[in-house]
Amino acid sequence: MEKIKVGVIGTGFIGPTHIEAIRRLGFVEVVGLAEHGQEVAEQKAVELGIPKAYGDYRDMLKDSEIQVVHNCTPNHLHFQINKEIIQAGKHVLSEKPLAMSSEESAELLKLAKEHQVVHGVNFNYRQFPIVKQLETMIRNGELGKVNLVHGSYLQDWLLFETDFNWRLAPEVGGKSRAVADIGSHWCDTVQYVTGKKIVEVFADLATVIPVRKKSTSQGSTFGGQKGQEEAYEDVPINTEDYASVLVRFEDGVKGLFTVSQVSAGRKNRLSFEIACSQNSAFWNQEEPEKLWIGYRDQPNQTLLADPTLFNPEAKSSIHHPGGHNEGWPDALKNGLLNFYTFIREGKNPLSDKATFATFEDGHMSMCITDAILASHEQQKWMKVKVKQEVRA
């Protein structure tokens, strides 16, 4: 069978991780790469072993060989590029956030449906094997009725005032940072696991470091020449480093989460606990092979990721024997495997249920972020207003 041909736009941190995951699938081939400028594109294509290089992504979209395009660009470029990918009639896998506003994400969802292209968003945490296992356990009622949900997503990469990145600029990263960047992952994962939509929020946001020091050298933040003192300029920061959010789900279940990018020692700690009427379950992304299961009347348990212990519905998500831990790159691969299997099997994006996050999920995420920002500004509960119907 001929391989599905793919083009990737953007080669920062996330682009090469997409390429590596695609290559692990076997039936998909990355044939093109687009960057800003031909020289950069050719250099990156050589480094990554990709035959075609495009200095303008629009030239890639004209290539009839390419069937699918991955949008791995910075946030402010997502909407326009996603729109043009769809209009070119190609399937699209976008990084999140899907766009810069829920109005834009609603337009993308509408376009994707009109053009009947397969559309995916890289919410990869729902693709961890043990998260899939937990989802089946809750769906099957093994833990009882869900009573409450709580957790956090904590990082430390912006702890110091000299930490600086394009995500700090609202015109590039968007009007929300910690919530849109990592809170969106937490919300998507718990909605997937519980099977419940978040419908109302009450939020408190804070910019812990209101003025940051941006390096004026050409190197990295810590890349001043030896013996030279690093030079900085002060930059006011208008997006949040921290947020705590109360949430209400569609069936009345309540919960809360905290996100922070200034928590020392927490590198990428997405965690959540779901308290049910019979048991509780806790998962932490930094220890992805473990699921803690809590009991009232007997010793607590830790379920290790092992295909022999998984429910039948979750076994396809784990690919190695117990003790051979699968982590972040494997979750990304799982998502892409589901996405490309959907394409290979010729499924209909309008009627067939996807086993990956779609533009509907991406749009839902944008609507939750909008509600969180409005709640903080008005200091009251805000309903999540979905500007276009989202399929359950």
Side-chain angles (χ1 to χ4, degrees):
M1 181 180 292
E2 188 174 349
K3 291 185 177 182
I4 300 170
K5 301 297 195 300
V6 179
V8 175
I9 306 173
T11 58
F13 157 69
I14 201 67
T17 65
H18 279 240
I19 293 167
E20 189 271 339
I22 290 168
R23 285 172 169 163
R24 293 170 65 190
L25 301 181
F27 62 96
V28 186
E29 181 182 3
V30 181
V31 299
L33 178 152
E35 255 296 349
H36 186 63
Q38 190 63 31
E39 184 178 350
V40 175
E42 290 178 1
Q43 177 185 343
K44 290 291 186 179
V46 170
E47 290 175 3
L48 295 167
I50 297 171
K52 298 181 181 181
Y54 303 87
D56 187 326
Y57 72 87
R58 294 177 180 88
D59 293 328
M60 173 189 283
L61 299 184
K62 297 174 185 174
D63 188 335
S64 59
E65 182 186 28
I66 292 175
Q67 303 159 268
V68 186
V69 176
H70 287 230
N71 185 357
C72 299
T73 61
N75 299 358
H76 70 297
L77 300 174
H78 289 179
F79 171 70
Q80 186 60 36
I81 292 177
N82 286 334
K83 184 176 180 178
E84 292 182 44
I85 294 170
I86 295 167
Q87 290 172 333
K90 300 183 187 298
H91 306 305
V92 54
L93 194 290
S94 176
E95 270 301 319
K96 38 66 51 187
L98 185 55
M100 293 283 271
S101 71
S102 55
E103 289 81 11
E104 289 181 346
S105 60
E107 182 179 344
L108 290 176
L109 176 56
K110 183 173 181 289
L111 271 175
K113 289 181 175 181
E114 288 175 353
H115 288 261
Q116 298 188 37
V117 298
V118 180
H119 44 92
V121 180
N122 186 29
F123 281 123
N124 61 307
Y125 292 100
R126 61 163 70 187
Q127 301 291 346
F128 275 87
I130 214 146
V131 171
K132 302 279 278 188
Q133 167 68 10
L134 177 57
E135 184 272 335
T136 68
M137 293 170 69
I138 290 176
R139 178 158 42 88
N140 295 339
E142 295 175 38
L143 305 180
K145 174 183 172 292
V146 175
N147 287 332
L148 62 96
V149 183
H150 60 93
S152 61
Y153 196 156
L154 310 176
Q155 299 176 330
D156 70 359
W157 68 286
L158 290 172
L159 177 63
F160 303 131
E161 65 176 2
T162 51
D163 292 329
F164 203 87
N165 179 272
W166 60 263
R167 295 180 185 276
L168 291 156
E171 66 273 15
V172 180
K175 56 191 175 182
S176 170
R177 177 168 32 96
V179 169
D181 188 25
I182 56 179
S184 59
H185 275 297
W186 192 92
C187 292
D188 178 78
T189 306
V190 299
Q191 286 182 116
Y192 167 76
V193 167
T194 63
K196 306 176 189 300
K197 298 292 185 187
I198 293 171
V199 296
E200 201 168 3
V201 298
F202 195 125
D204 181 40
L205 280 58
T207 304
V208 176
I209 304 177
V211 178
R212 289 182 179 268
K213 295 187 179 298
K214 180 181 180 182
S215 172
T216 57
S217 70
Q218 293 300 311
S220 65
T221 302
F222 306 102
Q225 295 217 1
K226 198 169 186 183
Q228 288 187 341
E229 186 175 339
E230 188 74 56
Y232 298 97
E233 62 176 325
D234 288 346
V235 179
I237 302 300
N238 301 309
T239 53
E240 75 280 358
D241 297 309
Y242 151 89
S244 282
V245 185
L246 296 170
V247 299
R248 290 175 179 160
F249 293 87
E250 57 192 330
D251 62 350
V253 169
K254 298 181 180 182
L256 72 156
F257 69 92
T258 295
V259 293
S260 166
Q261 294 174 322
V262 291
S263 294
R266 299 304 190 187
K267 303 307 176 185
N268 194 44
R269 195 179 190 273
L270 184 157
S271 65
F272 59 86
E273 183 167 326
I274 301 176
C276 300
S277 57
Q278 297 176 26
N279 304 95
S280 294
F282 171 81
W283 182 72
N284 162 28
Q285 192 275 150
E286 291 186 339
E287 297 180 288
E289 77 286 0
K290 298 177 181 179
L291 179 67
W292 178 88
I293 301 175
Y295 292 79
R296 173 177 168 171
D297 52 1
Q298 67 184 69
N300 299 329
Q301 298 178 355
T302 299
L303 172 65
L304 296 180
D306 185 332
T308 65
L309 303 175
F310 273 23
N311 290 340
E313 312 98 297
K315 283 189 177 181
S316 63
S317 66
I318 189 166
H319 307 282
H320 301 290
H324 298 74
N325 299 337
E326 299 179 33
W328 194 93
D330 305 289
L332 175 58
K333 188 204 79 171
N334 271 344
L336 297 187
L337 176 61
N338 291 331
F339 178 77
Y340 280 104
T341 299
F342 194 94
I343 293 173
R344 180 172 62 174
E345 294 178 352
K347 291 187 175 180
N348 186 336
L350 296 181
S351 57
D352 291 321
K353 183 174 176 59
T355 52
F356 51 89
T358 68
F359 276 22
E360 289 176 308
D361 299 296
H363 175 51
M364 183 73 188
S365 174
M366 295 300 303
C367 294
I368 292 172
T369 298
D370 279 356
I372 288 172
L373 292 177
S375 171
H376 171 70
E377 182 179 346
Q378 300 180 37
Q379 284 296 285
K380 66 178 184 179
W381 281 97
M382 294 294 295
K383 293 189 181 300
V384 176
K385 298 176 182 177
V386 182
K387 296 177 173 61
Q388 181 168 321
E389 183 180 353
V390 175
R391 185 173 59 203

